Amino acid sequence: RENFICLCNPHLEKMKEDILYHFALGTGTHDFPALFGDVKFVCVGGSPSRMKDFIAYIAEELGLGSPGCDYPNICAGTDRYAMYKVGPVLSVSHGMGIPSISIMLHELIKLLYYAKCSNITIIRIGTSGGIGLEPGSVVITRQSVDATFKPQFEQFILGKTVIRSTNLDEQLAQELMQCSKEINQFNTVIGNTLCTLDFYEGQGRLDGAICLYNEEEKLLYLKEAYDSGIRNIEMESSVFAAICNLSGVKAAVVCVNLLNRLEEDQISSSHDVLVEYQQRPQKLVGYFIKKSLGKV
């Protein structure tokens, strides 16, 4: 069965042209079905360079590219986001934090709709701070939760509070977990993800420019988070889950933990170790895509 993107905006039907400003793309200037109609998998992550590395990696894995091949940035007309494509895979950067990924997702969902894409899977691959797990562990998110550990995304719209669900696709999470077992290269768990509004105080760090709580209070909060099922902290998963849910898209979040926040606040691993850690979500999602396409 073909599952198409759901656009929860009746106003778009009245527009003669839709300009996706932050992508430097538009329905009046680009043929979206021709450019993107074959897309089945969309992988998003914070860093433009990381998403370019991912598209090169998946191209080689799928036998669609050659070593050293360059992949043009489809969004070269803007410096906000970067986008790369090979075969049925689209790779897009989203910047850092809820506002940045929210803007990107609004335009990405419209792009997929205008391209008449169906049966889309969107996966965020990224980095996070772990809670009670060794650095290098990969977390597949079951639910994204807010600072009070509730599975919800709270947003003000027209001056009113709107609360949206942040559950992610359970079957997709289990499929990704099975893939990790099959490649058997690193520790992977399914757990809840704490999505915060900033990197320092919102995550209970002691090393920001401002900190008006003590270490005991910090550890108490993080241990409460662990006891509630939270295994990592990042800054994008809540709105990612909310928008994908409303758009009828299967979605997952796969992040590697760069440190254990119960033990330290600053990332102390060497550059080479961090590079290897950051490749782990790529390897897992790459294997999932290959398996989904019958190439494993």
Side-chain angles (χ1 to χ4, degrees):
R1 194 181 69 175
E2 296 292 298
N3 292 317
F4 292 93
I5 301 291
C6 173
L7 278 190
C8 300
N9 184 357
H11 305 289
L12 294 174
E13 296 179 4
K14 304 172 186 177
M15 297 171 58
K16 293 182 179 179
E17 179 183 4
D18 193 354
I19 298 171
L20 308 186
Y21 173 73
H22 302 89
F23 285 165
L25 300 171
T27 56
T29 54
H30 296 79
D31 186 341
F32 282 65
L35 289 170
F36 306 107
D38 61 338
V39 169
K40 296 297 180 185
F41 304 94
V42 183
C43 295
V44 303
S47 163
S49 62
R50 192 184 307 156
M51 300 321 293
K52 186 171 185 178
D53 289 344
F54 175 74
I55 207 68
Y57 173 76
I58 197 66
E60 188 171 351
E61 288 292 296
L62 297 179
L64 298 175
S66 56
C69 181
D70 188 38
Y71 299 92
N73 176 11
I74 298 170
C75 297
T78 177
D79 59 359
R80 295 296 183 185
Y81 304 106
M83 180 185 296
Y84 306 94
K85 182 182 181 298
V86 63
V89 183
L90 195 64
S91 178
V92 191
S93 70
H94 59 61
M96 187 181 296
I98 287 173
S100 184
I101 192 175
S102 174
I103 294 167
M104 188 281 291
L105 285 170
H106 274 275
E107 298 189 14
L108 173 65
I109 295 298
K110 291 196 295 179
L111 179 154
L112 296 171
Y113 175 82
Y114 294 136
K116 297 179 171 54
C117 295
S118 64
N119 301 333
I120 293 290
T121 298
I122 303 181
I123 304 177
R124 165 169 143 67
I125 54 176
T127 59
S128 57
I131 302 182
L133 295 174
E134 288 299 309
S137 298
V138 171
V139 178
I140 302 167
T141 303
R142 174 178 288 112
Q143 293 178 317
S144 175
V145 302
D146 64 15
T148 63
F149 309 155
K150 294 178 182 177
Q152 63 183 34
F153 173 61
E154 182 177 321
Q155 184 176 7
F156 287 99
I157 301 175
L158 302 181
K160 299 177 182 179
T161 302
V162 176
I163 293 177
R164 291 171 173 165
S165 168
T166 55
N167 291 333
L168 287 152
D169 192 282
E170 180 66 27
Q171 181 180 345
L172 179 56
Q174 293 295 337
E175 289 174 2
L176 287 163
M177 188 68 195
Q178 179 59 34
C179 286
S180 182
K181 292 177 181 178
E182 290 175 17
I183 60 178
N184 193 30
Q185 294 182 16
F186 39 79
N187 180 47
T188 303
V189 302
I190 295 178
N192 290 347
T193 296
L194 172 59
C195 184
T196 66
L197 299 179
D198 79 310
F199 187 80
Y200 286 98
E201 292 178 283
Q203 297 189 13
R205 279 184 160 83
L206 302 175
D207 60 336
I210 300 169
C211 182
L212 303 178
Y213 46 84
N214 60 40
E215 185 172 10
E216 183 179 356
E217 291 171 317
K218 164 205 162 176
L219 289 174
L220 178 62
Y221 178 72
L222 293 181
K223 287 175 181 176
E224 288 177 354
Y226 182 87
D227 291 341
S228 75
I230 295 170
R231 294 297 177 266
N232 64 334
I233 312 173
E234 47 86 271
M235 297 184 289
E236 293 86 19
S237 59
S238 61
V239 72
F240 173 81
I243 290 178
C244 289
N245 282 337
L246 286 170
S247 304
V249 180
K250 283 202 306 183
V253 178
V254 179
C255 289
V256 64
N257 292 337
L258 301 183
L259 73 168
N260 181 359
R261 288 296 318 289
L262 293 175
E263 297 178 356
E264 56 187 337
D265 287 340
Q266 297 200 334
I267 299 168
S268 57
S269 298
S270 69
H271 172 75
D272 290 345
V273 168
L274 293 176
V275 168
E276 194 278 322
Y277 284 170
Q278 292 177 32
Q279 291 172 347
R280 294 181 178 186
Q282 295 187 15
K283 290 179 179 179
L284 174 51
V285 173
Y287 183 88
F288 166 78
I289 292 173
K290 285 177 63 179
K291 186 177 179 181
S292 298
L293 295 173
K295 293 181 177 290
V296 171

